[in-house]
Amino acid sequence: MVMSERCYKCYKPVSACLCKFIQEIDCGIKFVFLMHTKEAKRQRTGTGNLAHISLKNSEIIVGLEFSKNARFQELLHSDKYFPVLMYPGEDAWTAQKEGFKEVLGNKTLLVIILDATWFCAKKMIEHNPFLLELPRVSFAGDYRSIFTFKHEPKPEYISTIESCYYFIKEMQSANLIDEKVNPSSMMTAFKEMIKFQLQAENERILGIRPNSHSYDAKYNKLKEIPDYLE
């Protein structure tokens, strides 16, 4: 089987490269994606890399145990940053919570995101309990993912790129990020990624592409392309 040539930035086939939809966003926040090793192997379908190439000055650090990771520890202990973990919790800060701006002071917010399935994210926490000692951030609003190609354990679980997008929008609503910053290209690229995946799956079902799921009937039903992706 001949493998299609891929873009080494967005990891999509060159014919479906997403880079043309991406505009680098400088929102004044440093995002650090702790990417589980299994997620790193699924770069073609994951959204962590898509968020990374969309956000200026963001970084991906791949691994499972980060307490001795030199780069991560350097960021974590830098006087320049105020590190927070994006993780739910009763005491989590949100953009709407009073005192958040004062707590940040003059430091740059460093948002740490676990880029993994929820099962693997729990494993990452088990291997890095020190992460739960960090202040947490979460959302003031209630969101649902548009990632129709992927089924999360709960409807409120959203993808990495959606997490970044909604967090930026909420920070703007609280005047913590310049309103001139426009993160919409993140969602545009995300929608194009979903559309490509659905179309590719339909092509496999129709025999246009090699079908790796022929053993299971649930993979043989044509996927509907939602209106919001058109």
Side-chain angles (χ1 to χ4, degrees):
M1 182 176 62
V2 178
M3 298 297 290
S4 59
E5 185 181 356
R6 290 191 174 271
C7 170
Y8 288 97
K9 186 175 181 181
C10 69
Y11 295 102
K12 298 299 178 186
V14 171
S15 60
C17 177
L18 298 172
C19 295
K20 58 182 174 290
F21 301 107
I22 295 170
Q23 298 176 7
E24 189 178 61
I25 302 160
D26 186 359
C27 62
I29 294 175
K30 184 172 182 65
F31 287 90
V32 175
F33 304 100
L34 299 184
M35 183 178 288
H36 193 282
T37 50
K38 289 185 178 180
E39 193 70 21
K41 295 178 181 179
R42 291 200 302 264
Q43 282 284 32
R44 297 176 187 177
T45 56
T47 67
N49 182 65
L50 200 57
H52 165 56
I53 62 179
S54 298
L55 295 164
K56 186 175 182 179
N57 201 35
S58 65
E59 295 186 36
I60 290 177
I61 302 177
V62 178
L64 179 60
E65 202 280 324
F66 299 96
S67 64
K68 296 181 181 179
N69 183 285
R71 178 54 182 163
F72 182 59
Q73 292 300 319
E74 177 186 2
L75 291 168
L76 206 59
H77 294 95
S78 171
D79 292 335
K80 179 181 179 180
Y81 298 116
F82 184 88
V84 295
L85 177 68
M86 184 175 285
Y87 204 78
E90 292 183 2
D91 296 328
W93 289 97
T94 72
Q96 300 299 327
K97 194 170 183 179
E98 292 185 7
F100 190 35
K101 186 175 183 179
E102 289 70 24
V103 167
L104 293 178
N106 295 321
K107 292 187 176 182
T108 298
L109 187 63
L110 187 150
V111 179
I112 301 161
I113 297 180
L114 303 180
D115 187 39
T117 63
W118 279 91
F119 175 80
C120 288
K122 290 179 180 179
K123 291 296 182 183
M124 292 173 78
I125 289 295
E126 290 177 7
H127 283 83
N128 304 276
F130 72 93
L131 290 175
L132 294 182
E133 298 174 7
L134 296 171
R136 301 186 197 181
V137 292
S138 189
F139 305 107
D142 185 24
Y143 303 106
R144 295 293 182 268
S145 179
I146 64 168
F147 205 167
T148 56
F149 192 77
K150 182 179 180 182
H151 298 287
E152 295 288 4
K154 294 183 179 180
E156 64 268 25
Y157 291 174
I158 59 178
S159 67
T160 297
I161 196 167
E162 289 171 303
S163 297
C164 296
Y165 171 79
Y166 288 124
F167 188 71
I168 290 171
K169 295 295 289 184
E170 288 198 355
M171 293 286 282
Q172 285 179 312
S173 70
N175 297 316
L176 294 172
I177 290 180
D178 192 329
E179 63 179 9
K180 294 179 181 178
V181 173
N182 184 4
S184 62
S185 61
M186 298 176 70
M187 293 301 286
T188 299
F190 182 41
K191 289 178 181 179
E192 290 296 327
M193 186 197 82
I194 299 172
K195 186 194 299 185
F196 169 76
Q197 291 179 352
L198 291 173
Q199 290 173 339
E201 183 67 6
N202 285 342
E203 288 176 6
R204 282 190 285 270
I205 292 169
L206 294 171
I208 300 173
R209 292 172 179 260
N211 190 350
S212 60
H213 302 310
S214 58
Y215 59 86
D216 195 327
K218 73 178 180 179
Y219 293 112
N220 293 328
K221 184 178 180 180
L222 288 174
K223 312 298 181 184
E224 181 180 356
I225 308 298
D227 292 340
Y228 62 78
L229 297 180
E230 298 296 343

